[in-house]
Each structure stands twice: as structure tokens, then as C-alpha cells.
Amino acid sequence: MSDGIGLILIELCDYNLLTPQHLKNITAHPEVAVMSYDCLNVCGMCTLRPFAIVNGQRIFAPTVDECLKKIELKVEEELSHLE
């Protein structure tokens, strides 16, 4: 899977505590794409805690670092399904 077609989609809200820059290491995988939207219609979630939607599943945690770890685990899980 080295053609970079974005088979794993990470979606972020623009007002989120988690930003695309936080995901720099995760997006090193060519299968991962990050989309940032004005709003993901998860009302209020972006102001309460860091979160992302990874392939349709909401991932969140109390801190940015904890959320990044959870996202990394989810991406690794999704990558294992692609092999």
C-alpha cells in the first residue's frame, strides 16, 4: 500500500484542541489522509476534549497526547486490515 490513496481517513474539526500538525507522524503513512472541516456536527465535543474521527469511529481522550496514542493504535489496527 504505498500509492498514497488515503485509505484511512482522519477527520478533524477546525475548533478542535487536536490539529493536523499534531498528526504529522501518523500521516507519514501514505495510506492515511487528514481532512479538517469547519464543523463535524459533533456539537460541543471540540471544545471539551481532543478528538478525531478515524474511518467513521470517534476517538477522544482527556489530553492531546492520550488522544494521539489512541489514534495511532486505531491507525495501526486499520493498517493491519489492509495487509
Side-chain angles (χ1 to χ4, degrees):
M1 290 288 161
S2 62
D3 52 6
I5 58 176
L7 294 172
I8 299 170
L9 178 61
I10 301 174
E11 299 172 280
L12 299 174
C13 174
D14 286 341
Y15 303 102
N16 196 345
L17 297 171
L18 189 67
T19 66
Q21 290 77 22
H22 288 113
L23 299 167
K24 203 175 356 177
N25 291 337
I26 297 170
T27 57
H29 295 285
E31 301 87 1
V32 178
V34 175
M35 297 294 296
S36 187
Y37 300 98
D38 185 47
C39 182
L40 288 172
N41 295 318
V42 186
C43 292
M45 183 75 149
C46 57
T47 61
L48 296 175
R49 62 187 76 176
F51 85 100
I53 297 175
V54 180
N55 280 1
Q57 182 179 354
R58 191 172 17 183
I59 308 291
F60 59 91
T63 67
V64 169
D65 288 337
E66 289 177 81
C67 192
L68 286 171
K69 287 178 187 172
K70 287 184 172 184
I71 292 169
E72 287 175 13
L73 288 173
K74 180 64 177 170
V75 167
E76 291 300 324
E77 176 187 322
E78 294 289 323
L79 286 171
S80 72
H81 291 208
L82 296 175
E83 294 176 350

